[in-house]
Amino acid sequence: MEKGDVLVEAQSLGRSFGAKRVLDNVSITLHAGEVTGFVGANGAGKSTTIQLMLGLLHGEGRTLFLGRRLHAWGAPGTVVGAVLGGVAGHPKHRVRTHLRMVAAGSAAPDRRVDELLETVGLTDAAHLRLAQLSLGMSQRVAIAQALLGDPPALILDEPANGLDPHAIRWLRDFLRSQADQGRAVLVSSHLLGEMEQLADRVVVLSRGRVVAASPMAQLLADAASRRVVTVQTPDLPKLAALVEARGGLLVPTGGQGANVQGLDRIQIGTLASDSGVPLYWLHEEGPSLEDFYLGIAEEEFTIS
């Protein structure tokens, strides 16, 4: 498989609980060598989407893994690995014993367990019981378990929940390394800012619907285009005319203050200087990624 190849296609997924529509026409495509961030507020439908993709819930649409439904594969663990929160094992079982039991069920050799313990940095903790693990260590065991079958796709549902900054950094670096090895990685999160440091693509879910899907580079460019520059000048009418002549918009905020959209601070400062307009204040601030996509979500549902 080459980087960019489509490995997973979720097509028109939908789900209702009684009369409540919780997921509507959700489609996601995962590519080899890329991390896709699946972002939305708590309750947006991210976990429901992932469970539908993996066949853990019944609903509308279908998901293809390497061109086939997951149940069509004799060994699903060799196609996709999933981390859905915690380690499902007896709390008294030791880490290595637990992973060997899971490996036996998926026909993976014991040496694969030791390889993965080293990969996730738990070789020295292999003798610990599951009940003794910290949350961060438990997540590492869950990731090792998901990788036992050496699958080309990896799906993780809110893996950073409750982790400390050190564990989050390890997780981010590890998932990036998995994508660099050619895997397609899907990571759900309610923290869009975290995805800025990890994801190649972002899919944003709001109230059960996809409201944005784009490469991260495009997302950042779109966010930058919504920058706002705050100015203060005793000659707002003249500055407004200059700004509008350059395709921008000046909105007075009271007194000598105003917000300018469509131009950056360098452009505004140059315009003012060249035209003799004094500036008492000039400050540029772009919206956070969370603010930007929350705004898109609100626009989407106001229109609909």
Side-chain angles (χ1 to χ4, degrees), residues 99-100 102-116 148-149:
L99 290 175
R100 284 180 173 175
V102 178
S106 58
D110 283 350
R111 66 175 181 276
R112 178 66 176 161
V113 170
D114 292 324
E115 290 171 1
L116 287 170
L148 282 170

Side-chain angles (χ1 to χ4, degrees), residues 149-283:
D150 197 18
L154 186 60
I155 295 176
L156 305 96
D157 190 12
E158 295 275 6
N161 270 0
L163 299 186
D164 60 43
H166 176 78
I168 290 175
R169 180 174 181 178
W170 176 89
L171 178 66
R172 184 170 62 237
D173 292 345
F174 181 82
L175 295 180
R176 183 71 261 169
S177 73
Q178 294 302 300
D180 291 343
Q181 292 173 32
R183 284 191 171 88
V185 181
L186 177 69
V187 186
S188 77
S189 176
H190 61 279
L191 301 174
L192 187 54
E194 177 64 25
M195 290 298 102
E196 182 178 356
Q197 304 178 64
L198 172 63
D200 302 291
R201 297 175 183 269
V202 176
V203 176
V204 181
L205 197 68
S206 180
R207 288 181 262 185
R209 287 170 53 183
V210 173
V211 296
S214 70
M216 177 59 76
Q218 182 62 54
L219 182 155
L220 295 174
D222 290 346
S225 72
R226 297 196 178 196
R227 67 170 61 89
V228 174
V229 180
T230 304
V231 299
Q232 189 177 34
T233 175
D235 198 350
L236 280 177
K238 185 174 182 179
L239 183 60
L242 293 169
V243 167
E244 290 173 9
R246 290 290 299 273
L249 176 65
L250 184 146
V251 180
T253 57
Q256 297 180 335
N259 291 333
V260 178
Q261 300 175 358
L263 300 178
D264 61 31
R265 61 183 175 80
I266 295 176
Q267 293 171 310
I268 296 168
T270 301
L271 276 177
S273 176
D274 291 347
S275 303
V277 176
L279 290 179
Y280 300 157
W281 178 263
L282 180 62
H283 176 70

Side-chain angles (χ1 to χ4, degrees), residues 29-95:
T29 301
L30 307 184
H31 301 260
E34 294 184 351
V35 176
T36 298
F38 189 32
V39 183
N42 290 329
K46 301 186 301 297
S47 295
T48 300
T49 300
I50 288 174
Q51 290 176 44
L52 282 172
M53 291 175 68
L54 296 172
L56 301 176
L57 281 178
H58 293 296
E60 303 158 17
R62 66 176 187 169
T63 302
L64 302 180
F65 295 84
L66 305 182
R68 299 164 62 184
R69 301 291 288 268
L70 191 57
H71 62 73
W73 292 96
T78 64
V79 179
V80 59
V83 178
L84 305 181
V87 180
H90 196 287
K92 290 188 177 181
H93 285 172
R94 301 186 187 278
V95 171

